[in-house]
Structures are given as structure tokens and as C-alpha cells.
């Protein structure tokens, strides 16, 4: 029945280009279409009559009745999430209060009721035709909705129970061996279930070092029928040691350090909790390096999820250091004491390391070359196949989707810049001028990337001048990065360090983009100037002005005025008349005289003699009259 994949496809389609409000409207339209298709609506134009509830027989006859439950539940859930997102910025001690919280809880309960009805119908396997996996997916969806209700009520222990059961079911479903379905279950678990479990555990003040597997094993209800079925097929799913061995990023026995180094200063670690947390950070970094090097072609989201295993112990080290400083302050230890000074240096070091791992995670999510290149996503293949004569082309990524991706990268760059600004507030940073210069260089690198991404957005919207200005600004910022960038270190996870190759690649990309958009801006300005230049009313055709070269400001060649068409009757210059008045007075070679020479009596070239003979012939010639057709009468 594909319950989980159906839900995720609906969410991804709507939330990619819209919000929860548009998702709710889309679900309403889809729900009405499915009801009409299944004829599960009241008759139009008649008195209202209650619609018969959906039974297991209906589901067995047509599995699309399951979509009615899912669409109804999702619509109620989307309504609650839309109201929650609208009031996310409300100030106050408890956040959303009053009627809004009650309305959100009401929508979530309605979603849970629809999911519970679906589970009850599917349990009748003989009639509904549902498999064990279908029942497990429906059960996981139901308990996740109940977990959302307890999350809004801030009942953290009940919330952990519901989400632990959902996480356990999805973890078991992810071991089916089908790669596509396993990825769907893992994505849902990592993006929705596990963050809620972490937050609820934080509210219950559970140690940060406690893994999610341990929390699930502790809070999952033991009296669930679905759990018993899962334990039959996966008896070791709650075994912490087995799960820890299967995953590459888990706690192991590590050497506890005794000192820590920060900017050529080495201090002793006198606090045991801080030392243990730093040992966990060191082990997690080693595991992360091996994990990333062994999976170079992994999806960026999966790589970013691996950073959670190092962010958690890093945050534990920060908390342990702060706790140790607070204890010494409560005991009246002055700031100039050696122990306090060592803890302040340790605090700066662990906070800087935590910021570095957060920024490294953001860089992974931005894509290749820190998001400097807008790579093309894989084309979506059509679901329905047409006939061989009518092949459907694969759908390309639209401009709206590209703008959405660029907007997500801008958010990541903003978070990175805020993290860099927070480093300046750490103890001892303001007095270290060399370190401040390094921070300025790193900030310029990420600011250049931010300008680059925003410029690409303007380029997609055909705002060439704005894009050129932003590209030029990014190029100016990147020029200072190459001078102070560090050397490249192989097999090291991304963090706050910027290598020489990364800086040079960014500058190369920006130089190409600046040259490209400068040419586009110049063409656009020439086109605008040509369009604004007034054209003559009756211009001479181009064929009559071939000796003139069109100037840049004149708009170029007018292709609509090459010749005069249709042609008009006009005088055309041809061969001039041959009037050789000197013919009778020039001696041409090879021509002899016919008359006498010297006295001029015979003329030149016998012209006078020839004239006399011709006159006599004319006189002797007599005119004769002829009749019609040349016959005389």
C-alpha cells in the first residue's frame, strides 16, 4: 500500500515550493478528487445524508480508500503546522498560548484519530488484504502523530514513549533490504523522529552523551503488539552493543587527554568531565574521517547527518567547561588564578572547535566547492509510461526550484557568518590581532559565497546589472582569501579551515562569471540605447549607402531597409555616348588615306571623296511606289 512513501511524496511536492498553508490547500483538492473517484461523497442537489464509514471490505476492494485516511490526517496535521509556523515568532515565556495552542492540539488529535481508524481497519488482514509491513507503517504513522500531540502539550516523557516506538518501527522497516524503501525510512527517521527525541531528552535533562538507541530502548513501550512482532523478526534490535558495532560513529574506549593546545598555548586539563568529552570528540573525528573517505559519493544530507556524532560530544565539552568555570566562580576563585585562566583558554578552544564543526556541516549541505557551483539535479522520470509513439520527455528543474535551492544556501551562509561573529566574543580573542585577521579572511570567503549565490538568483531573474554588481563584490572579497589560506590536508573532514585550492577555485569561478555578466550587461545597454535612438522617417536604402559604415550609436544596420521594394521607375546611369569629334583629324595606325594629302583637297582618310560619291548615289536613286505586300499596281 506504500503508506510512508505516499505521505513523504505529498509533503515533498508541496513544501518544496510552498508552505504548510499551500500544502493544506493541495490536500483538500486531492481529497475531493479521491472522494469523487471512489464515489464516497454525498449526492449533489439532495438533502444531506451521512456518508457510510469506510470499512475493511472497502479497503480490500480498492486500496485507494487508504489514501482517504492518509489525506484527511495529513490535512489536519498541515493545518496545525501552518498555525504553529505563523506564531513561531511570538514572544513570551511559554511561546504559543491560549486558543491557538488549543486549536493546534485539536487538529493534531483529529489527525491521530484518522490514523488510528486506519490501523483498526488494516488489522483485519483477511478482509482488508493488508500485509504485516502495511500495519507496521500505519502504526508508526499513528504513534508519530500522538507524539506530536504530547510534544505540543510538553509532556516530554509521553512524547519520548510515542516517538521511541515510531523510531523502533521505522528502524526495523529500514532493514528490509530494498534500497529505495530503506532510504525513505532512514530519511524520515533522521529528519523528523530523531530531532524530536533529542529535544524531549534535553527537556528531561538526560545526558547528551546518551545515544538515541539507548533512549529508545529505555522508553519504548513493552506491551505493544507491533513491538512483539518486530522482536520476532529482529530479536537484536534493542541490543545496544550490536547496534553500536553495526554503526561506524559510536562511542569507543578512547585515551583521555591531559592537555589542550590553543594558538601555541598549552594548558592542563584539570576537569575530568571536560577531558572525557574531548576524548569523545577526538574519537568521533577519527570515525567521521574514515566514514567520509570510505563513502565519497554519499548524498550531502547523509554526510551532514554524520556530523551529528561529532557535534554532540563537542557540545558536551562546551557544557562541561562552562560548568567547571561556574563552580570555580561560585567558590570565589579570582579570574587571575591559574586554574581559571586554563579553563578560559579551554573554553575558547572547545567553542571554536564546535563552531568549526557546525560550519563544516553547513559547507557539506551547500554542495560541491562550498556551493560555488549550481550543479544540476537529476531529472525526474515520468511515473506513467506512454505509448512508444508518444514518448514523454523527462522534467527538468524549474526556475522556482533553483531559486528555492539558492535560498536554502543563503540561509546556511547566514548561519555560518553568525557563527563566525560569535567567535569574537570568546575570551582572549579580542586581544589576538593575528587571529582576528584570520577571522576576517574566513568571513570574507563565506561572504563572497553568499554574494555569489544571491547574484545567481538575480541572474535567473534576468537582473543582469544587479548580478554583475554582486559578482564583482564577491570577486573583491575573494581576492583577500588567497593570501592567508592554509595548506590542504587530505582525509580531513570539512570544518572552518579554508585551503589554497578552495580559495583559488572560488576566485576562478568568480572571474568567469564577472566577465560573462559584464558582456551581458554591455549587450543589454547597447540594445537599450539602440531602442531609444529615433530612426529617420524616410531613410535611404542600404544598397545606396554602401560607402557608409553604421556607427554604434545609430542602432546598427536596419535590416528592414536594405532595398526599395517594390522597385520604382528611376533613371539608371548606363554607358555614356561615344562622341569622338577628333575621328576625322587623327591618324590611326593601320588605316590608309584615300585622297591626296598635303594640300587638304582630298580630306582626311578619304572622308570628302566618300561624301561626294554618296551624294551622287542618292540622286540617281529613284523612288518607286509599291502596292500592298510589296506588289506594284
Amino acid at each position: 500500500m506504500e503508506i510512508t512513501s505516499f505521505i513523504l511524496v505529498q509533503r515533498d511536492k508541496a513544501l518544496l515550493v510552498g508552505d504548510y498553508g499551500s500544502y493544506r490547500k493541495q490536500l483538500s483538492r486531492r481529497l475531493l478528487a479521491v472522494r469523487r473517484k471512489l464515489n464516497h461523497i454525498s449526492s449533489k442537489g439532495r438533502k444531506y445524508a451521512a456518508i457510510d464509514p469506510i470499512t475493511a471490505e472497502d479497503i480490500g476492494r480498492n486500496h485507494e480508500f487508504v489514501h482517504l485516511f492518509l489525506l484527511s490526517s495529513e490535512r489536519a496535521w498541515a493545518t496545525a503546522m501552518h498555525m504553529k509556523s505563523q506564531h513561531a515568532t511570538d514572544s513570551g515565556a511559554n511561546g504559543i498560548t491560549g486558543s491557538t495552542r488549543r486549536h493546534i492540539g485539536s487538529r493534531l488529535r483529529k489527525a491521530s484519530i484518522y490514523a488510528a481508524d486506519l490501523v483498526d481497519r488494516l488489522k483485519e488482514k483477511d478482509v482488508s488484504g493488508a500485509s504485516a509491513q502495511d500495519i507496521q507503517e500505519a502504526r508508526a504513522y499513528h504513534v508519530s502523530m500522538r507524539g506530536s500531540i504530547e510534544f505540543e502539550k510538553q509532556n516530554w516523557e509521553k512524547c519520548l514513549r510515542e516517538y521511541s516506538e515510531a523510531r523502533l518501527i521505522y528502524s526495523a522497516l529500514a532493514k528490509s533490504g530494498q534500497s529505495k524503501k530503506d532510504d525513505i525510512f532512514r530519511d524520515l527517521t533522521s529528519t523528523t523522529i530523531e530531532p524530536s527525541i533529542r529535544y524531549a531528552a534535553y527537556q528531561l535533562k538526560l545526558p547528551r552523551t546518551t545515544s538515541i538507541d539507548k533512549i529508545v530502548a529505555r522508553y519504548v513501550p513493552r506491551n505493544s503488539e507491533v513491538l512483539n512482532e518486530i522482536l520476532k523478526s529482529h530479536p537484536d534490535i534493542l541490543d545496544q552493543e550490536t547496534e553500536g558495532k553495526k554503526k561506524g560513529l559510536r562511542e569507543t574506549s578512547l585515551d583521555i587527554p591531559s592537555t589542550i593546545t590553543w594558538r601555541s598555548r598549552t594548558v592542563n586539563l584539570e576537569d575530568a568531565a571536560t577531558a572525557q568529552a574531548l576524548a569523545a570528540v577526538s574519537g568521533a573525528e577519527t570515525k567521521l574521517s574514515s566514514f567520509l573517505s570510505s563513502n565519497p559519493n554519499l548524498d550531502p544530507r547523509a554526510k551532514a547527518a554524520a556530523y551529528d556524532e561529532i557535534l554532540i560530544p563537542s557540545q558536551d565539552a562546551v557544557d562541561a567547561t562552562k560548568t567547571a568555570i561556574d563552580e570555580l566562580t561560585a567558590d570565589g576563585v579570582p579570574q587571575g588564578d591559574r586554574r581559571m585562566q586554563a579553563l578560559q583558554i579551554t573554553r575558547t578552544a572547545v567553542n571554536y572547535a564546535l563552531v568549526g564543526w557546525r560550519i563544516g556541516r553547513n559547507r557539506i549541505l551547500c554542495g560541491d566547492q562550498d556551493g560555488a557551483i549550481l550543479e544540476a539535479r537529476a531529472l525526474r522520470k515520468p511515473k506513467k509510461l506512454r505509448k512508444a509513439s508518444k514518448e514523454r520527455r523527462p522534467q527538468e528543474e524549474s526556475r522556482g526550484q533553483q531559486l528555492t535551492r539558492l535560498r536554502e544556501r543563503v540561509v546556511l551562509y547566514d548561519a555560518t557568518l553568525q557563527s563566525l561573529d560569535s567567535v569574537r566574543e570568546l575570551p582572549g580573542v579580542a586581544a589576538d590581532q593575528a587571529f582576528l585577521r584570520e577571522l576576517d579572511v574566513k568571513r570574507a570567503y563565506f561572504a563572497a559565497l553568499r554574494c555569489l549565490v544571491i547574484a545567481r538568483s538575480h541572474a535567473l531573474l534576468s537582473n543582469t546589472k544587479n548580478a554583475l554588481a554582486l559578482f564583482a563584490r564577491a570577486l573583491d572579497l575573494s581576492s583577500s582569501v588567497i593570501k592567508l589560506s592554509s595548506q590542504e590536508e587530505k582525509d580531513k573532514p570539512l570544518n572552518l579551515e579554508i585551503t589554497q585550492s578552495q580559495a583559488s577555485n572560488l576566485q576562478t569561478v568568480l572571474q568567469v562569471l564577472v566577465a560573462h555578466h559584464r558582456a551581458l550587461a554591455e549587450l543589454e545597454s547597447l540594445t537599450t540605447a539602440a531602442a531609444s535612438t529615433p530612426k529617420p522617417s524616410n531613410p535611404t536604402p542600404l544598397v545606396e549607402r554602401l560607402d557608409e559604415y553604421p556607427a554604434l550609436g545609430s542602432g546598427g544596420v536596419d535590416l528592414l531597409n536594405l532595398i526599395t521594394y517594390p522597385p520604382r521607375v528611376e533613371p539608371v546611369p548606363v554607358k555614356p555616348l561615344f562622341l569622338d569629334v577628333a575621328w576625322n583629324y587623327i591618324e590611326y595606325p593601320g588605316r590608309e588615306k584615300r585622297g591626296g594629302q598635303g594640300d587638304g583637297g582630298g580630306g582626311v582618310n578619304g572622308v570628302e571623296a566618300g561624301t561626294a560619291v554618296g551624294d551622287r548615289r542618292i540622286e540617281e536613286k529613284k523612288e518607286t511606289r509599291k502596292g500592298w505586300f510589296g506588289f506594284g499596281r
Side-chain angles (χ1 to χ4, degrees):
M1 295 181 183
E2 305 293 340
I3 295 175
T4 306
S5 60
F6 176 80
I7 295 170
L8 292 183
V9 167
Q10 298 297 321
R11 290 183 184 179
D12 292 341
K13 279 185 179 179
L15 299 180
L16 183 62
V17 295
D19 55 358
Y20 290 106
S22 60
Y23 181 38
R24 176 180 58 82
K25 294 178 183 178
Q26 178 181 344
L27 289 171
S28 299
R29 294 192 296 267
R30 181 71 186 277
L31 184 61
L32 180 60
V34 175
R35 283 175 176 171
R36 287 176 177 174
K37 181 179 180 181
L38 299 176
N39 197 20
H40 196 260
I41 54 177
S42 58
S43 300
K44 188 176 181 180
R46 298 182 182 179
K47 187 177 180 180
Y48 173 78
I51 304 175
D52 296 334
I54 301 174
T55 61
E57 290 80 3
D58 296 332
I59 296 177
R61 186 176 66 256
N62 192 342
H63 289 341
E64 289 195 11
F65 279 98
V66 174
H67 295 172
L68 287 180
F69 287 106
L70 296 177
L71 292 172
S72 301
S73 178
E74 280 291 293
R75 183 174 64 172
W77 177 82
T79 304
M81 293 298 104
H82 179 59
M83 290 188 293
K84 187 176 179 180
S85 62
Q86 285 184 330
H87 296 272
T89 58
D90 290 353
S91 60
N94 297 324
I96 304 173
T97 57
S99 59
T100 303
R101 182 173 292 277
R102 290 193 296 271
H103 196 183
I104 292 174
S106 173
R107 296 298 92 188
L108 291 177
R109 281 192 295 273
K110 186 175 182 179
S112 177
I113 290 172
Y114 280 118
D117 291 342
L118 176 61
V119 174
D120 294 338
R121 303 298 187 278
L122 294 181
K123 282 183 179 179
E124 303 177 15
K125 297 182 180 180
D126 298 336
V127 181
S128 63
S131 62
Q133 181 176 349
D134 296 333
I135 298 175
Q136 291 177 4
E137 290 186 32
R139 175 67 180 178
Y141 180 69
H142 175 218
V143 295
S144 64
M145 288 297 169
R146 291 196 316 196
S148 300
I149 297 174
E150 302 300 334
F151 190 93
E152 295 301 326
K153 290 182 178 180
Q154 298 182 0
N155 294 332
W156 305 117
E157 189 170 354
K158 293 182 179 179
C159 177
L160 273 182
R161 291 174 186 167
E162 304 296 345
Y163 277 125
S164 296
E165 183 177 355
R167 201 258 185 186
L168 184 68
I169 295 173
Y170 283 130
S171 299
L173 292 173
K175 299 178 181 180
S176 62
Q178 301 178 6
S179 58
K180 293 184 179 180
K181 290 185 177 181
D182 294 350
D183 293 340
I184 291 174
F185 296 134
R186 291 194 187 98
D187 291 342
L188 179 61
T189 302
S190 60
T191 57
T192 305
I193 306 298
E194 291 184 356
S196 302
I197 293 175
R198 279 291 179 193
Y199 187 78
Y202 170 76
Q203 293 294 335
L204 290 176
K205 298 181 180 181
L206 297 179
R208 291 178 181 269
T209 55
T210 305
S211 64
I212 293 183
D213 293 330
K214 292 181 181 179
I215 296 175
V216 170
R218 177 179 175 182
Y219 285 94
V220 66
R222 305 290 177 174
N223 56 354
S224 175
E225 297 179 0
V226 178
L227 177 62
N228 296 330
E229 295 180 1
I230 292 174
L231 290 177
K232 291 179 182 179
S233 57
H234 303 282
D236 58 345
I237 195 169
L238 295 178
D239 189 359
Q240 301 303 318
E241 294 182 359
T242 304
E243 290 296 314
K245 291 177 182 178
K246 289 182 179 179
K247 294 185 179 181
L249 303 175
R250 286 288 181 262
E251 301 86 359
T252 56
S253 58
L254 301 171
D255 296 332
I256 298 178
S258 58
T259 59
I260 186 173
T261 302
W262 165 252
R263 304 286 298 176
S264 72
R265 293 191 61 181
T266 303
V267 295
N268 295 326
L269 291 174
E270 299 180 357
D271 185 66
T274 304
Q276 291 178 356
L278 289 175
V281 170
S282 178
E285 182 179 356
T286 304
K287 296 293 185 181
L288 179 62
S289 300
S290 61
F291 177 76
L292 294 179
S293 60
S294 60
N295 299 281
N297 299 325
L298 201 62
D299 185 70
R301 292 186 178 181
K303 291 183 180 179
Y307 272 77
D308 294 340
E309 300 296 337
I310 196 172
L311 288 173
I312 293 173
S314 298
Q315 184 65 49
D316 291 338
V318 172
D319 295 342
T321 305
K322 185 178 182 301
T323 302
I325 293 175
D326 293 341
E327 290 176 356
L328 290 181
T329 303
D331 293 341
V333 177
Q335 294 293 329
D337 188 78
R338 179 184 58 82
R339 294 174 296 171
M340 185 65 74
Q341 291 293 324
L343 283 175
Q344 293 291 353
I345 294 174
T346 304
R347 178 187 176 187
T348 303
V350 296
N351 275 280
Y352 183 75
L354 176 61
V355 169
W357 294 123
R358 286 176 179 172
I359 292 176
R361 184 177 183 274
N362 293 342
R363 294 173 70 179
I364 288 290
L365 289 174
C366 287
D368 295 338
Q369 299 186 17
D370 296 331
I373 298 177
L374 184 61
E375 64 278 359
R377 282 190 173 179
L379 302 179
R380 295 180 298 173
K381 296 182 179 179
K383 295 182 179 179
K384 296 182 179 179
L385 298 178
R386 293 187 175 184
K387 297 180 180 179
S389 58
K390 297 181 180 180
E391 296 182 358
R392 182 183 296 179
R393 295 182 179 179
Q395 299 178 359
E396 297 182 358
E397 189 177 17
S398 63
R399 186 177 66 177
Q401 293 173 343
Q402 292 179 353
L403 291 174
T404 302
R405 291 169 54 195
L406 294 175
R407 194 181 301 116
E408 292 174 355
R409 292 185 181 181
V410 171
V411 173
L412 292 173
Y413 292 137
D414 289 337
T416 299
L417 294 175
Q418 291 177 3
S419 300
L420 282 173
D421 293 338
S422 66
V423 175
R424 297 176 179 272
E425 302 175 1
L426 296 176
V429 172
D432 194 344
Q433 297 298 325
F435 183 62
L436 288 177
R437 286 194 295 270
E438 292 182 11
L439 285 179
D440 291 338
V441 169
K442 294 173 181 178
R443 196 182 193 284
Y445 177 78
F446 291 106
L449 287 170
R450 184 177 183 274
C451 291
L452 169 62
V453 171
I454 298 176
R456 287 189 184 276
S457 302
H458 283 280
L460 288 175
L461 297 174
S462 300
N463 297 329
T464 308
K465 294 182 179 180
N466 295 344
L468 177 59
L470 288 169
F471 281 133
R473 174 59 178 166
L475 183 60
D476 293 339
L477 291 171
S478 65
S479 60
S480 62
V481 181
I482 299 181
K483 301 177 182 178
L484 296 177
S485 56
S486 60
Q487 299 295 328
E488 185 173 1
E489 297 183 11
K490 296 182 179 180
D491 298 335
K492 186 177 181 181
L494 281 178
N495 51 12
L496 194 49
E497 299 299 326
I498 302 171
T499 62
Q500 184 77 21
S501 61
Q502 293 169 352
S504 61
N505 289 337
L506 175 61
Q507 191 173 31
T508 302
V509 171
L510 287 172
Q511 288 174 350
V512 173
L513 290 174
V514 166
H516 176 65
H517 285 79
R518 183 177 287 120
L520 291 178
E522 184 67 20
L523 290 175
E524 184 177 346
S525 63
L526 291 176
T527 305
T528 305
S532 61
T533 303
K535 297 182 180 180
S537 58
N538 293 318
T540 307
L542 180 64
V543 71
E544 300 179 11
R545 296 182 289 108
L546 296 179
D547 58 334
E548 299 178 5
Y549 189 82
L552 292 177
S554 62
V557 177
D558 188 4
L559 300 179
L560 300 178
N561 193 23
L562 298 179
I563 60 173
T564 302
Y565 186 83
R568 295 175 296 186
V569 178
E570 295 179 354
V572 179
V574 296
K575 181 176 66 175
L577 296 176
F578 182 77
L579 298 175
D580 193 353
V581 296
W583 171 264
N584 297 330
Y585 303 97
I586 299 175
E587 296 180 4
Y588 292 96
R591 187 176 183 85
E592 297 179 355
K593 297 180 180 180
R594 294 182 180 179
Q597 283 184 337
D599 54 357
V604 179
N605 295 332
V607 175
E608 293 183 1
T611 304
V613 174
D615 293 341
R616 284 197 303 270
R617 289 178 180 177
I618 293 174
E619 291 176 358
E620 293 177 357
K621 186 177 181 180
K622 296 181 180 180
E623 183 179 357
T624 59
R625 295 187 62 182
K626 296 182 180 182
W628 291 348
F629 306 106
F631 299 100
R633 290 185 179 178

